[in-house]
């Protein structure tokens, strides 16, 4: 019954998002593709947030995924988008599996700062590596889709549909994970970690799992973002980038999966419009927007839906 | 031998500057339980205010008594604390006391974004230079190397700041009240402590120290937009290394970061940008809550 409803939701989500490929103008399609790619990264943070920890360094995987794809494209000649995504995901999975168990015993601000430190180490290293562009970064060519090499609008549409597909699949999988036994233990950890330990579950394992999922999603998000942008630089791992991801996660709240992507799109829209209308003070506009959100929606967008349903999961 | 001495001196200079900024951050965290990203903005505003005031001082004929520019710098930091401290604490932060730590980090991140643009609106995007105070103290010869006297003045300032904060907290009645509030704000309130005033005072002191750090730096650099972005993250690292809310911790953290950064600059320049985070990660591996963190009871 529950699985069925997830398929239904996923199908509805796919149709709604895919419709964008027809109705959206070029600029908006690019913006949505970027927002959805970033939304994937934020979904990983939300997965961790459910356990009560927030990573301030998700830029690490965003950047790692983007660089893996770019290096594979430039030096190995890989241009297939599926292969690039798989490669980045694999690299991020390995790195996530190394750091996950190390970080899993940290909580609160220490988890946040340690993950931030890791991303800043990557930022610092990449900035100094002149053979891969240093602070200027690298360019990446347009991807191919199983041998098909579109250009112009078809390329954009294909890329958009690709990110929509990934978003729907990972969104559905994460929902299934959230509702699984392990996902519910994560939620219980948020309330009281010691109780969960006394009940016989390993909180560290769960935290490590959530971290690895975050790494995976971060890498995929980074890959799509770099393919949409055509360029990557170390700023992908800078703390302000990670700060934006956290902001989206907070804006979305930990209750609902779709709200993560809605929040990502809202942030991207607010940013581009304030860029357009207040070119010199867009940070000011963004900051005020952030404050309003925090004051008005302390539990995130997702709380709007569940509040109406009268449930509190 | 020269290399070791150079690393030590460079490290101390960097550590002195870093300590002034970090101790304010740790004080604010200790009392208000808010990790303040906007600390970086206060630092940058301090630098701008100092550049403007010192510039105005020399324009108004300060050449007759150039040492007065140091007073102008301190005045700039006081001004920042008096204007922005109450505005931020009373106007915004007090509504977020007791909320989630990470949420509060985001609140101050929003303030940081806002202040970044406010600075551009006030001071524009062109760099400011005020070199006079930097050259005023001459140079110091150490072995075969020459150092600018001003750099040592910064170390002295850091020592004075550290002693002042430590003595105020541990040897005065106000300081003891502050410590009581850090320990438990609610109980302190029932004992008749005006907690609101302590919060405001602590935040203003933190803002003053951030701005002082900026004001002292202004003569050494060109003051440009985006100055606060890196500072706050480095100060975070220092505070985390030392243990949040600990003044001696901030001092040790600043020394560790300062010396390891200086060592990296001279021995392994490639690592300069991330050695700080590397040190922090190592410390956290062995001391998960920092070097001087207090043990806390866990709720079951």
């Amino acid at each position: 019954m529950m699985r069925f409803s997830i398929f239904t939701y996923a199908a509805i989500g796919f149709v709604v998002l895919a419709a964008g490929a027809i109705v959206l103008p070029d600029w908006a399609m690019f913006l949505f593709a970027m927002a959805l790619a970033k939304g994937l990264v934020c979904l990983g943070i939300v997965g961790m947030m459910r356990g009560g920890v927030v990573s301030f360094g998700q830029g690490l995987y965003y950047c790692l995924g983007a660089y893996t794809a770019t290096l594979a494209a430039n030096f190995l000649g890989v241009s297939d988008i599926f292969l690039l995504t798989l490669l980045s995901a694999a690299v991020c999975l390995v790195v996530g599996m190394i750091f996950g168990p190390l970080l899993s015993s940290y909580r609160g601000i220490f988890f946040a700062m340690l993950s931030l430190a890791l991303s800043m180490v990557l930022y610092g290293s990449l900035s100094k590596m002149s053979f891969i562009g240093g602070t200027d970064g690298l360019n990446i060519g347009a991807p191919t889709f199983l041998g098909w090499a579109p250009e112009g609008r078809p390329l954009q549409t294909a890329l958009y549909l690709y990110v929509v597909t990934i978003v729907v699949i990972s969104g559905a999988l994460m929902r299934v994970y959230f509702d699984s036994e392990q996902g519910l233990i994560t939620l219980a950890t948020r309330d009281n970690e010691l109780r969960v330990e006394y009940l016989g579950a390993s909180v560290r394992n769960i935290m490590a799992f959530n971290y690895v999922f975050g790494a995976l999603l971060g890498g995929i998000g980074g890959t799509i973002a770099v393919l949409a942008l055509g360029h990557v630089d170390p700023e992908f791992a800078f703390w302000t980038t990670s700060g934006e991801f956290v902001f989206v996660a907070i804006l979305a709240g930990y209750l609902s999966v779709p709200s993560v992507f809605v929040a990502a799109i809202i942030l991207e829209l607010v940013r581009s419009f304030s860029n357009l209308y207040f070119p010199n003070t867009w940070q000011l506009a963004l900051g005020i927007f952030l404050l309003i959100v925090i004051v008005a929606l302390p539990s995130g967008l997702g709380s709007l839906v569940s509040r109406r349903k009268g449930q509190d999961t | 031998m020269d290399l070791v001495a150079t690393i030590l001196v460079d490290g101390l200079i960097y550590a002195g500057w870093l300590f002034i900024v970090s101790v304010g951050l740790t004080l604010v965290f200790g009392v208000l339980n808010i990790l303040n990203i906007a600390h970086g903005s206060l630092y940058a505003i301090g630098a701008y205010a100092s550049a403007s005031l010192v510039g105005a001082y020399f324009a108004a004929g300060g050449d007759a008594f150039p040492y007065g520019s140091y007073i102008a710098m301190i005045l700039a930091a006081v001004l920042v604390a008096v204007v922005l401290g109450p505005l931020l604490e009373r106007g915004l932060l007090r509504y977020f006391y007791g909320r989630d730590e990470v949420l509060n980090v985001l609140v101050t991140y929003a303030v940081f974004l806002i202040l970044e643009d406010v600075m551009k609106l006030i001071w524009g995007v062109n760099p400011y230079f005020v070199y006079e105070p930097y050259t005023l103290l001459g140079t110091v010869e150490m072995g075969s190397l020459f150092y600018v006297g001003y750099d040592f003045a910064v170390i002295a300032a850091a020592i004075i700041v550290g002693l002042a904060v430590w003595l105020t907290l541990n040897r005065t009645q106000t300081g003891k009240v502050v410590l009581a509030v850090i320990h438990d704000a609610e109980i302190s309130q029932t004992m008749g402590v005006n907690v609101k005033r302590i919060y405001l005072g602590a935040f203003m002191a933190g803002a003053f120290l951030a701005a002082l750090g900026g004001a002292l730096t202004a003569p050494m650099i060109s003051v440009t937009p985006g100055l606060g972005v890196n500072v706050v993250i480095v100060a975070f690292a220092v505070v985390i290394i030392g243990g949040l809310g600990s003044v001696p911790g901030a001092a040790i953290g600043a020394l560790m970061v300062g010396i390891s950064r200086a060592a990296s600059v001279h021995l392994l320049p490639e690592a300069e940008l991330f050695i700080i985070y590397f040190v922090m990660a190592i410390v956290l591996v062995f001391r998960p809550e920092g070097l001087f963190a207090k043990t806390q009871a866990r709720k079951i």
Side-chain angles (χ1 to χ4, degrees):
Chain A
M1 166 66 197
M2 200 200 75
R3 290 293 142 88
F4 171 74
S5 67
I6 278 211
F7 277 124
T8 322
Y9 282 129
I12 295 172
F14 183 80
V15 170
V16 170
L17 284 172
I22 303 161
V23 294
L24 291 175
D26 282 359
W27 66 268
M29 199 146 72
F30 169 74
L31 192 142
F32 272 58
M34 280 303 284
L36 291 175
K38 289 180 180 176
L40 282 172
V41 188
C42 305
L43 184 61
I45 299 180
V46 168
M48 288 181 247
M49 239 166 77
R50 288 174 76 85
V53 294
V54 176
S55 159
F56 256 82
Q58 222 47 17
L60 170 67
Y61 297 103
Y62 185 61
C63 185
L64 200 61
Y67 264 95
T68 308
T70 310
L71 293 177
N74 289 356
F75 294 107
L76 304 177
V78 183
S79 67
D80 188 71
I81 193 165
F82 296 94
L83 214 56
L84 287 176
T85 313
L86 276 179
L87 260 173
S88 309
V91 169
C92 288
L93 183 72
V94 171
V95 176
M97 279 163 76
I98 295 170
F99 289 130
L102 287 176
L103 286 174
S104 62
S105 53
Y106 295 89
R107 299 289 175 272
I109 214 77
F110 295 97
F111 180 84
M113 293 310 294
L114 209 50
S115 51
L116 184 144
L118 291 175
S119 73
M120 289 303 284
V121 168
L122 181 70
Y123 169 79
S125 318
L126 289 174
S127 303
K128 290 272 174 175
M129 288 187 197
S130 46
F131 64 97
I132 52 167
T135 46
D136 291 338
L138 291 168
N139 289 329
I140 182 171
T144 57
F145 299 76
L146 301 172
W148 178 51
E151 280 170 29
R153 173 93 188 180
L155 170 67
Q156 231 189 351
T157 313
L159 199 62
Y160 176 77
L161 286 176
Y162 181 72
V163 59
V164 165
T165 314
I166 290 197
V167 158
V168 170
I169 294 174
S170 13
L173 286 178
M174 283 308 262
R175 186 74 253 172
V176 172
Y177 173 66
F178 288 166
D179 292 335
S180 71
E181 188 182 334
Q182 188 147 352
L184 293 174
I185 295 175
T186 304
L187 214 50
T189 308
R190 184 190 175 86
D191 290 334
N192 192 320
E193 190 178 328
L194 273 189
R195 272 184 215 157
V196 174
E197 287 276 357
Y198 285 171
L199 289 171
S202 164
V203 171
R204 285 196 60 174
N205 273 352
I206 286 163
M207 291 295 177
F209 257 107
N210 292 338
Y211 184 83
V212 172
F213 284 139
L216 208 56
L217 288 168
I220 297 173
T223 310
I224 297 170
V226 74
L227 288 172
L229 272 176
H231 180 80
V232 61
D233 59 49
E235 290 283 318
F236 272 50
F238 199 60
W239 70 270
T240 46
T241 311
S242 303
E244 267 174 32
F245 295 144
V246 175
F247 169 55
V248 169
I250 298 268
L251 172 58
Y254 62 91
L255 299 168
S256 133
V257 170
S259 63
V260 178
F261 297 100
V262 174
I265 291 171
I266 291 177
L267 178 70
E268 214 60 25
L269 283 174
V270 168
R271 198 222 315 268
S272 23
F273 279 102
S274 43
N275 233 331
L276 188 66
Y277 292 112
F278 326 101
N280 297 317
T281 51
W282 67 273
Q283 291 194 90
L284 191 133
L286 202 63
I288 291 173
F289 174 69
L290 230 161
L291 278 182
I292 292 173
V293 166
I294 293 170
V295 172
L297 288 172
S299 310
L301 280 178
S303 65
L304 287 180
V305 186
S306 48
R307 210 186 293 165
R308 217 181 41 218
K309 277 188 200 158
Q311 62 182 34
D312 191 27
T313 38
Chain B
M1 194 54 222
D2 248 11
L3 186 65
V4 176
T6 314
I7 289 175
L8 272 178
V9 174
D10 280 358
L12 272 178
I13 291 167
Y14 189 64
W17 164 81
L18 203 49
F19 175 74
I20 298 175
V21 183
S22 310
V23 77
L25 191 67
T26 212
L27 184 71
V28 169
F29 182 84
V31 179
L32 281 71
N33 208 17
I34 287 180
L35 198 50
N36 185 13
I37 292 188
H39 205 71
S41 318
L42 294 169
Y43 168 89
I45 293 174
Y48 271 116
S50 158
S52 298
L53 269 190
V54 170
Y57 179 78
F58 283 107
D63 286 328
F65 180 61
Y67 293 101
S69 59
Y70 295 122
I71 297 169
M73 284 159 69
I74 296 171
L75 208 65
V78 172
L79 209 65
V80 172
V82 169
V83 174
L84 283 176
L87 190 71
L88 290 178
E89 200 274 340
R90 283 291 96 189
L92 184 75
L93 294 179
R94 70 181 167 124
Y95 299 106
F96 296 96
Y97 292 146
R99 298 277 285 277
D100 187 50
E101 265 177 3
V102 177
L103 190 79
N104 283 338
V105 172
L106 270 183
V107 171
T108 61
Y109 177 54
V111 175
F112 169 83
L113 285 177
I114 294 170
L115 288 180
E116 279 299 287
D117 273 353
V118 169
M119 272 184 268
K120 281 184 211 154
L121 289 177
I122 298 177
W123 282 283
V125 289
N126 295 322
Y128 280 69
F129 298 98
V130 272
Y131 57 89
E132 293 93 341
Y134 191 56
T135 51
L136 221 51
L137 297 177
T139 52
V140 180
E141 191 182 344
M142 287 184 79
S144 55
L145 293 162
F146 287 91
Y147 284 95
V148 180
Y150 185 85
D151 289 338
F152 291 97
V154 172
I155 300 182
I159 295 171
I160 294 170
V161 162
L163 281 178
V165 173
W166 192 85
L167 285 176
T168 312
L169 282 179
N170 294 292
R171 293 285 182 272
T172 65
Q173 200 184 354
T174 323
K176 298 229 158 119
V177 171
V178 172
L179 290 180
V181 171
I182 292 178
H183 190 72
D184 194 321
E186 227 169 355
I187 300 283
S188 308
Q189 181 123 36
T190 61
M191 301 294 235
V193 172
N194 188 345
V195 174
K196 269 190 201 165
R197 216 175 60 199
I198 299 291
Y199 276 3
L200 178 59
F203 189 79
M204 281 173 69
F208 169 73
L209 290 170
L212 184 66
L216 292 177
T217 315
M220 303 196 247
I221 54 166
S222 66
V223 184
T224 48
L227 193 64
V229 183
N230 290 312
V231 173
V232 68
I233 293 298
V234 177
F236 270 175
V238 167
V239 167
I240 297 272
I241 288 174
L244 283 160
S246 159
V247 175
I252 301 286
L255 275 176
M256 284 175 72
V257 167
I259 291 180
S260 47
R261 180 176 172 275
S264 140
V265 167
H266 289 285
L267 303 174
L268 187 70
E270 294 81 17
E272 184 210 330
L273 280 174
F274 63 78
I275 187 81
I276 293 163
Y277 311 104
F278 187 69
V279 172
M280 169 176 138
I282 298 284
V283 168
L284 285 188
V285 166
F286 294 104
R287 293 276 301 174
E289 309 225 306
L291 295 172
F292 286 77
K294 280 170 286 184
T295 26
Q296 279 185 334
R298 290 212 283 179
K299 196 173 72 183
I300 299 180

